[in-house]
Amino acid sequence: CDWSSDVCSSDLGKKMIIVLAIGILTAIFGLLLIISPNTILKMEKHANHLIMTDPFFMKYRYHVGFLTILAGAYMIYTFLTT
């Protein structure tokens, strides 16, 4: 650790792994929303409604899915370039 800074490099590495994992999950969710929305609805039933799939998501699933994939790709890009 460089005690003159607020963040240790090992702490930053752990946080970036979390960003990568969230980015991958976000991209997968976006792909499922576009390609197979019924899969998300089935997961919702098994997860006791932990995943919110209100009518807005289904009505605009292509737009939301595309933006979700972009967000996931950005997180993955951030991990790879840091």
Side-chain angles (χ1 to χ4, degrees), residues 5-43:
S5 68
D6 292 340
V7 180
C8 290
S9 61
S10 62
D11 292 340
L12 184 60
K14 292 175 187 175
K15 290 177 183 178
M16 290 308 295
I17 295 292
I18 293 171
V19 169
L20 176 64
I22 292 171
I24 291 170
L25 290 174
T26 302
I28 290 170
F29 182 80
L31 282 172
L32 285 175
L33 192 57
I34 291 172
I35 296 170
S36 181
N38 289 332
T39 302
I40 293 173
L41 293 174
K42 288 177 187 175
M43 286 188 318

